[in-house]
Amino acid sequence: MTKDDADVPELPEYRDNPFINRLPPVMSIAEALRNLTRLPIHSDEERQYPAHLRCHCLQRLGRYFVPLERHLQLEVRLSALIRQGYVGRNPNTTDYLHRLHNDHERVLKKDLSAVIHPVETTASGFALIGCSGIGKSKSVERILQLYPKLIHHQEPFSLEQVVWLKLECPHKGSVKQLCISFFHEMDKLLRTRNEARYGSSRLSIDTMVVHMAEVADRHALGLLVIDEIQHLMRAPGAGRDDLLNFLVALVNTIGIPVMIIGTPAAIPLLQGAFRQARRASGLGSLIWERHANDATWNHFIDRMWRYQWTREPTPLTDELRLVLYEESQGIVDLVVKLYMLAQLQVIQLNALTGRDKGEQLTVGLFKHVAGDAFRLLAPMITALKRNDRAALEKYDDLQPLDDYVFQAFQTAMVRLSPAPTKEAATPVEPTSASPNQDGTEAVLASLEGLGLARDVAQLLLAQVKAESPNLNPLDLVATIAGKLRERGPEAKPVKPQKSRDRAIVPVRAVDPADLRIIVSTGTTSGAPAYEALLAAGAIKPPLRDIAV
C-alpha cells in the first residue's frame, strides 16, 4: 500500500470486513485511467527490423487497451458490485457463519431454498449488453485483472477467498454443464477435487446446484461472471428458464453477485421475466452501442496510430480517419484488426518485391484489406450501417475474423522468415530477367493468397498491366481485387456431355425355356404365372390319387 493509498479514508462497512479490506483500495477516476491503460511496446528503431520480425511486433496491437468513458463507468460498477456483495457476508459477524449453516441444510435437503437462519442479502445483478466486437469481454477481464483472484485468510479463520470467477454460458443452456464448469474452474484455482465429487453425470441437477452454492459460499466468491449469455437462445424453453432461475437464486438466496455479458440477442431473455430484469438492473445495466465518429473515437484512433512498424510513418489525415470508421463502423475490435492487417499487407508486399521504402498506409490499402479480410462480416457491417438491430442479433461472435487474422499472420511469417540455406544468407541482386524486379512474383503470390489459381492470377495480372502499365504492385493487387468484386460470383460453365463410344454388346439369343421369359409371356397374355409354368411343362401337376 502506497502513502497515497494510506491517506484514503475507509468506509466503516468496508474497514471491518476482512473480505473487503484485503482488496485493493477503491480507485479514483485518475487511478482507474492509469491502471487500466495497456499500451504495446514500440520504438522507432523497430521500423528498421527485418519484415518477419516486424510481423511479430504487429501482434502487440492485439493487447492494446486504452480506457474510454464507458470503461471507467464499468470499473465503478464492478468495484461496487464486488464490495457490496461482501457487506452481507462479513466473517467477523454471524452473517457468514449463518450462511454456512444454511448451505449445510441445503445440501442435506437438496433444496436451494432451504434455510435455518434468515440472512439479509446485499448482492445485486448486473448486465452488460453490446454487439460483437465492441469490447465487452475484454474490458471486463481487464478490470478484473486489477483484483487478486485468490486471497488466503488466517483470521478470523483459515480459508481461501475467491474474489471473482468468469465462466462461459453453456451452448445448450444446461444448468448441469454450468455447474461442472464452475467446479472445474474452482479446482484449477484451489487445487481441489470438486468436479470429481460433485460433477458426476449421475448426480441430479438439484444436487449439483446446492453443492455449487455451498462451494461458492465457503470460498466467499465475490463475483460470478457469465459470458455469452445469448447462448441461452438456443436452449429449449425448460432449460433456459432453469438456468435463469438459478442465476436469480444465486443473487437473491445465496447472496453472490452475478454479472451477465451478452449480445443484443440476450435482451429478450432479460425482458421476458420481471425477476431477471429487476436483478440484472440492480446496479444499472449497461448497453454499449457502437462508437460514434466523435471526439472519443478520434482519441482512440490517435493513440492507436502511434504504433506503426512500417519503414516510414504515415501521418494521420481526415481521409484516413474516415475510411477507418467507415470500414469498422465504430467497432473497436474491427478497427484494431484492420490496422494490424493493413500494416501486415504493406510490409509483406514490400519485402516480397525487394523494395526498401514506400511502406505507406493509404485509403485504398484500408479499403482493399477490409474488402478481403471482412468478407465474412459483410452482412454484419451492412447491418451496422443501417442500424438494423434485428439483423445484428444474428451475429454472436467474431471468431471467424479472429481465425482469419491468426492465419494471415502465420502465413506471412512463414513467407517472410529467412530460409536457413547458404543461398538465402547471401543477397542476390535481381537481374533484368528476375520476376521480382517489377514485383510480378510478389503480386502473383498475393493473388494466390486470396484464393486465385496461379494461371487465373497471371491472366488477370496481364490484363490489368495492359490497361494500366504504371501501377505499383500494391495498386495492382487492389485493382485486381476490385475487378473480382465487381464481377461477382461467376456461374459455373455447363460442361457439354461427352458422347461416349459404347461398345456394341452382342444380344444373346432368348432361351424359350427361361422361367422369366415363360412367366413374362404368360402375364402379358393374362395367364397366371402358375398356369404359364404348368402349360410350358416347367412344373408338374400335383398328384391327385394317392394310394393309401
Side-chain angles (χ1 to χ4, degrees), residues 327-386:
E327 298 299 339
S328 67
Q329 284 297 302
I331 302 297
V332 170
D333 192 59
L334 293 186
V335 77
V336 172
K337 286 181 169 59
L338 177 60
Y339 190 51
M340 293 170 60
L341 291 172
Q343 292 191 60
L344 177 68
Q345 177 89 338
V346 73
I347 291 173
Q348 183 179 7
L349 193 57
N350 187 64
L352 293 175
T353 55
R355 297 182 299 171
D356 197 32
K357 59 181 181 178
E359 295 179 354
Q360 291 291 311
L361 302 176
T362 64
V363 171
L365 173 65
F366 282 118
K367 287 185 176 181
H368 164 66
V369 172
D372 180 45
F374 296 171
R375 280 179 297 178
L376 294 175
L377 301 176
M380 177 181 173
I381 299 295
T382 302
L384 287 170
K385 290 180 178 179
R386 297 175 179 174

Side-chain angles (χ1 to χ4, degrees), residues 50-99:
H52 67 284
L53 290 182
R54 287 186 286 154
C55 288
H56 282 266
C57 295
L58 277 174
Q59 297 186 70
R60 300 173 189 166
L61 279 169
R63 298 181 292 276
Y64 167 72
F65 189 90
V66 171
L68 305 176
E69 182 180 357
R70 59 176 52 174
H71 302 116
L72 299 176
Q73 293 175 351
L74 180 61
E75 190 281 326
V76 170
R77 282 166 169 77
L78 286 180
S79 174
L81 195 67
I82 294 174
R83 289 172 173 83
Q84 287 298 315
Y86 279 133
V87 167
R89 292 186 285 166
N90 191 342
N92 281 332
T93 67
T94 58
D95 292 343
Y96 182 67
L97 291 177
H98 284 172
R99 290 180 182 279

Side-chain angles (χ1 to χ4, degrees), residues 523-543:
T523 304
T524 303
S525 61
Y530 172 76
E531 294 181 2
L533 292 171
L534 187 63
I539 59 176
K540 294 182 179 181
L543 297 178

Side-chain angles (χ1 to χ4, degrees), residues 451-469:
L452 288 178
R454 189 173 183 85
D455 55 345
V456 177
Q458 289 173 335
L459 290 174
L460 290 173
L461 179 59
Q463 178 185 352
V464 173
K465 275 190 171 184
E467 296 172 355
S468 306

Side-chain angles (χ1 to χ4, degrees), residues 11 26 32-33 45 48 56 82 136 158 170 184 199-200 206 238 244 247 256 298 323 374 417 429 435 442 490:
L11 301 178
V26 178
L33 188 64
E45 291 77 10
Q48 307 308 317
H56 282 266
I82 294 174
K136 305 180 299 296
S158 178
H184 179 75
S200 172
D206 291 339
L244 285 175
L247 296 180
I256 297 173
N298 288 333
V323 74
F374 296 171
S417 296
E429 293 294 334
E490 297 182 356

